[in-house]
Amino acid sequence: MGNFGFLMISTFLVLIATLLPYSSASTTRRFHFNVEWKKVTRLCHTKQLLTVNGQYPGPAVVVHEGDTVEIKVTNRIAQNTTIHWHGLRQYRTGWADGPAYITQCPIRSKQSYTYRFKVEDQRGTLLWHAHHSWQRASVYGTFIIYPRQPYPFSGGHIQSEIPIILGTK
Ligand SMILES: [Cu+2]
């Protein structure tokens, strides 16, 4: 092997060593949403409520800036559905945004769709909600993006947090 060959291999190894820490640093966070009916009792009245995983409000999606997010949504009702990640910037993944008939076909009954996107250059408390017909009246939840650590405020840690979702019916 000549000097040139050795130089090429050395350069290649240095390149691999430089890139490895970055490729393994990214975390993928996975969630499974079942859109389903649930019997709910409030103030002595029981009625069917459209929910995700039987929860109202639905499950919180909690991620960190830089994470890849995979949310598999399974439609367990008779009507079509989709979920929209409200306020989230989709960089090069517009098809994962969620509005039915705008960025995707609706998820049909008994079918699933996996939303896959990376959360980049954004942080804070957002909202996800159903984006088909009026399902958003009860199908919604928080989407929390923590900033990269250390946190950019004094003390560097969170004392307490209470997500508040404002909804109408
Ligand atoms: Cu929205």
Side-chain angles (χ1 to χ4, degrees):
M1 179 169 44
N3 270 351
F4 182 71
F6 179 74
L7 188 70
M8 286 300 284
I9 288 172
S10 307
T11 308
F12 182 70
L13 289 177
V14 167
L15 202 67
I16 293 284
T18 314
L19 292 177
L20 268 180
Y22 293 99
S23 59
S24 61
S26 170
T27 303
T28 299
R29 297 194 193 267
R30 296 182 175 87
F31 303 84
H32 194 178
F33 279 19
N34 290 298
V35 176
E36 59 193 19
W37 291 100
K38 167 92 176 173
K39 254 190 196 160
V40 173
T41 303
R42 292 281 189 283
L43 301 173
C44 311
H45 290 281
T46 300
K47 61 178 257 185
Q48 289 282 346
L49 191 70
L50 192 58
T51 69
V52 165
N53 300 350
Q55 294 173 240
Y56 175 69
V61 174
V62 180
V63 304
H64 285 81
E65 203 177 345
D67 285 349
T68 296
V69 182
E70 277 186 24
I71 305 164
K72 182 179 180 182
V73 176
T74 301
N75 181 354
R76 298 191 188 279
I77 60 173
Q79 298 78 27
N80 291 338
T81 193
T82 64
I83 303 288
H84 167 55
W85 320 103
H86 189 105
L88 201 107
R89 289 187 212 123
Q90 298 281 355
Y91 295 112
R92 302 174 300 281
T93 47
W95 55 85
D97 197 38
Y101 301 112
I102 298 173
T103 58
Q104 69 170 102
C105 296
I107 307 165
R108 300 175 72 184
S109 182
K110 299 186 184 113
Q111 302 294 310
S112 295
Y113 180 79
T114 300
Y115 294 88
R116 232 177 244 109
F117 50 87
K118 192 166 180 178
V119 177
E120 290 173 297
D121 297 327
Q122 50 198 320
R123 59 212 69 88
T125 303
L126 302 174
L127 177 82
W128 60 261
H129 62 97
H131 214 292
H132 188 270
S133 183
W134 294 102
Q135 295 170 357
R136 73 186 70 178
S138 62
V139 179
Y140 58 78
T142 51
F143 194 114
I144 298 170
I145 308 163
Y146 287 111
R148 289 177 202 278
Q149 288 177 314
Y151 295 128
F153 41 80
S154 63
H157 65 279
I158 297 165
Q159 304 272 323
S160 70
E161 50 188 329
I162 306 166
I164 297 174
I165 306 172
L166 302 178
T168 55
K169 215 179 146 241

